[in-house]
Amino acid sequence: MEYFGCNINMKWLIAVVGLIVSTRVPSSRAWTSAEETALSSNLEVGYEDDVRPVEITSIFMAFQMTSIDSVNIKEQTFSVSGWWILEWEDPRLTWTTASHGNIPLLQYYENDLWTPAIVVSNSITDLSAISESTIPLRVTYEGEVAWHPPGIFTTGCEMDTTHFPFDVQVCSMQVTSFGYTVDEVVINSTKGVRMDFYSENGDWEILEAWDTYTTYTDSGDDYSRMSYYVKVKRLNTYHWLNIILPVIVSGCLVVFVFLLPVDSGEKMGYSLTCLLTYVVLLTLIAADMPTTAKHTSILEVYLTIVLILSGIAVVCCIVSIRLYQMPDDEKVPVIMVKMVKKCWPLVDGRKESVKLAIKGDAKVHPVDGSNYKKEGTITSPRTFAEKEKGLRTPVRRLSVASVDSKDDIYHEDLIDGKVCSVVMDKMLFRITGVFIPVMTIVILIILISG
């Protein structure tokens, strides 16, 4: 065939025109709302939302945590915010994209499709199945269903208060399949607890998160259960400043009860103040502790011990004041005299000087050989007591000539009420001055080490 002086093969012309047309016309229809509506309606025809997709439906679950709302030690509850990630396959919801406007996925709501009956079984606020009618389910053309229902979940958690306020708690959320046995619905995990959108908590730090799969049996049937654990550690800067330091300082102040002189007039008031301080501290800390806990706080035990010591200090102050103000003609109880005689050499400091002053029969000085029956004196018991209490009285001394041995300066006949008062205070000061600081350091090491 010849056109405009050119020879054109008709077959080649038709092929070129067809190629141009095929490149300009799409091979399938584009997306439209009407196309998606029609596809959604077609998939719903004959679909029963009460029937599970397959014989054994596998539910893949994870929890996306956004924040820790509270870890309540007293109520023993654990509250978090986030959303569940649930995925499963439903072969009834499949289609060919090329035949339906290249639509890759559809969205349905909870009432339109089958959803698993899964319950947070250790929740203390709501035991209904995980549900959210306002959150759509996304369905791909391959029949994969994804659902992300959010919520605030509060569960029971057994708190370990042994090392409060340096405690570490492990709490969990247990999700259980209700209504479907393991032969019908199985819960599997996908990455457990996720932290992609987590916001840090000011009181607690997350140390670890993991999950475990178990089953439970009810009426002879086994059901799936997945437990999501979160291990948290208390951030204790606040408690250092508001609990630990006041407790340590108050404990050290108890020691100085026995250093305060009777004649100051403040001894009893000071001891009662120390006692009441620990009563208040113990009350404040006990207010945060659970009343049904299986664990006992070491800090509470420490406060109770120091509280008992403060109570003993009050009683000892009463006895010390009574002894110190005892009239000269009143006899000191024998048991008190015997106790003071045993303790006096430990707090007096005069015994070593007397050892040097007495050799053999107490007649000759070990260095210059002078006779102590004619020269040399030591402080008498009464003067010792008065000087220890800061009294300005004439110095009275006991002649070494009257001392036949180094133990005579602690003779029972020389012990009166003032001596008993002074010796008791000095001995108790030494005991508490060692016991309370050592106990405080040990308790702190145990608490911090966890």
Side-chain angles (χ1 to χ4, degrees):
M1 185 180 292
E2 183 177 344
Y3 291 96
F4 305 103
C6 299
N7 293 324
I8 299 176
N9 190 316
M10 182 59 69
K11 293 182 179 180
W12 281 103
L13 179 61
I14 296 174
V16 171
V17 173
L19 179 63
I20 294 174
V21 172
S22 64
T23 57
R24 293 180 177 271
V25 178
S27 60
S28 61
R29 294 163 293 178
W31 178 93
T32 63
S33 60
E35 188 76 36
E36 182 168 331
T37 301
L39 174 60
S40 178
S41 299
N42 290 336
L43 292 176
E44 289 181 359
V45 174
Y47 185 92
E48 293 293 337
D49 58 6
D50 296 332
V51 180
R52 66 185 185 276
V54 293
E55 182 180 0
I56 300 179
T57 303
S58 294
I59 309 297
F60 295 91
M61 287 193 68
F63 182 71
Q64 180 70 63
M65 184 184 299
T66 57
S67 66
I68 295 178
D69 298 329
S70 69
V71 181
N72 194 316
I73 299 294
K74 186 175 180 61
E75 301 295 333
Q76 300 197 80
T77 60
F78 176 66
S79 179
V80 295
S81 296
W83 62 83
W84 295 105
I85 301 174
L86 291 89
E87 298 174 349
W88 65 92
E89 292 185 1
D90 194 336
R92 298 171 293 180
L93 303 173
T94 59
W95 67 92
T96 304
T97 57
S99 303
H100 297 85
N102 286 326
I103 298 175
L105 60 87
L106 295 175
Q107 290 186 334
Y108 292 91
Y109 284 90
E110 182 182 3
N111 295 330
D112 300 326
L113 299 182
W114 177 89
T115 55
I118 297 177
V119 175
V120 181
S121 54
N122 63 337
S123 173
I124 62 172
T125 57
D126 185 11
L127 284 176
S128 60
I130 296 175
S131 173
E132 182 51 67
S133 60
T134 61
I135 302 299
L137 292 82
R138 297 173 64 87
V139 182
T140 68
Y141 69 94
E142 294 178 333
E144 296 178 352
V145 184
W147 189 32
H148 299 167
I152 299 175
F153 306 96
T154 302
T155 61
C157 180
E158 182 180 324
M159 301 293 176
D160 185 354
T161 58
T162 303
H163 297 91
F164 175 86
F166 302 94
D167 50 326
V168 174
Q169 306 295 342
V170 177
C171 297
S172 68
M173 292 183 294
Q174 296 179 354
V175 291
T176 305
S177 171
F178 270 53
Y180 293 99
T181 67
V182 293
D183 296 327
E184 298 164 342
V185 172
V186 177
I187 302 176
N188 297 298
S189 177
T190 56
K191 297 185 179 179
V193 180
R194 300 182 181 180
M195 303 291 178
D196 301 335
F197 302 95
Y198 178 73
S199 299
E200 295 291 336
N201 186 276
D203 295 328
W204 298 89
E205 174 190 3
I206 295 181
L207 299 180
E208 187 181 0
W210 70 95
D211 56 23
T212 59
Y213 175 80
T214 57
T215 60
Y216 82 98
T217 303
D218 183 20
S219 300
D221 295 322
D222 294 331
Y223 297 86
S224 288
R225 170 174 291 171
M226 186 68 67
S227 299
Y228 297 88
Y229 292 91
V230 180
K231 185 177 183 180
V232 294
K233 178 182 180 182
R234 187 189 299 273
L235 301 176
N236 46 49
T237 302
Y238 168 84
H239 296 86
W240 264 111
L241 297 176
N242 293 275
I243 295 179
I244 301 300
L245 289 181
V247 166
I248 294 175
V249 172
S250 300
C252 293
L253 290 177
V254 175
V255 177
F256 296 97
V257 169
F258 305 107
L259 196 61
L260 195 64
V262 172
D263 298 289
S264 66
E266 301 293 336
K267 195 177 185 72
M268 181 55 64
Y270 181 83
S271 62
L272 288 173
T273 300
C274 291
L275 176 64
L276 294 176
T277 299
Y278 263 87
V279 171
V280 173
L281 287 174
L282 186 59
T283 302
L284 292 176
I285 294 177
D288 294 331
M289 296 292 105
T291 57
T292 59
K294 297 180 181 179
H295 308 276
T296 302
S297 172
I298 295 176
L299 184 61
E300 280 190 297
V301 174
Y302 170 80
L303 287 172
T304 303
I305 293 175
V306 180
L307 178 64
I308 294 173
L309 291 178
S310 298
I312 295 174
V314 172
V315 176
C316 291
C317 285
I318 296 173
V319 175
S320 177
I321 295 172
R322 175 68 180 87
L323 290 171
Y324 193 81
Q325 296 179 349
M326 181 179 293
D328 293 339
D329 57 351
E330 187 174 345
K331 191 173 181 180
V332 180
V334 177
I335 187 173
M336 180 62 68
V337 172
K338 292 184 179 297
M339 291 175 58
V340 170
K341 185 178 180 181
K342 296 290 185 181
C343 298
W344 193 4
L346 302 176
V347 300
D348 185 3
R350 301 181 305 148
K351 191 168 184 177
E352 294 300 322
S353 63
V354 175
K355 286 181 180 179
L356 295 176
I358 301 173
K359 180 182 178 182
D361 56 358
K363 301 294 178 62
V364 181
H365 191 279
V367 178
D368 57 13
S370 57
N371 191 331
Y372 277 96
K373 287 188 177 294
K374 296 181 178 179
E375 54 184 282
T377 57
I378 59 174
T379 305
S380 68
R382 185 60 176 268
T383 305
F384 159 77
E386 292 171 346
K387 287 177 67 178
E388 289 293 329
K389 291 299 182 181
L391 298 180
R392 296 182 178 180
T393 57
V395 177
R396 291 179 289 178
R397 296 182 179 276
L398 178 68
S399 174
V400 182
S402 62
V403 178
D404 294 331
S405 71
K406 59 182 178 297
D407 295 323
D408 284 353
I409 60 172
Y410 305 116
H411 195 276
E412 295 180 5
D413 295 338
L414 303 176
I415 298 175
D416 59 6
K418 281 188 171 60
V419 172
C420 291
S421 175
V422 171
V423 171
M424 184 176 71
D425 281 351
K426 290 172 73 68
M427 193 66 192
L428 291 174
F429 175 74
R430 283 164 170 76
I431 294 174
T432 56
V434 173
F435 178 75
I436 291 181
V438 170
M439 182 180 66
T440 301
I441 294 173
V442 171
I443 292 296
L444 283 177
I445 292 174
I446 295 175
L447 287 176
I448 295 174
S449 63

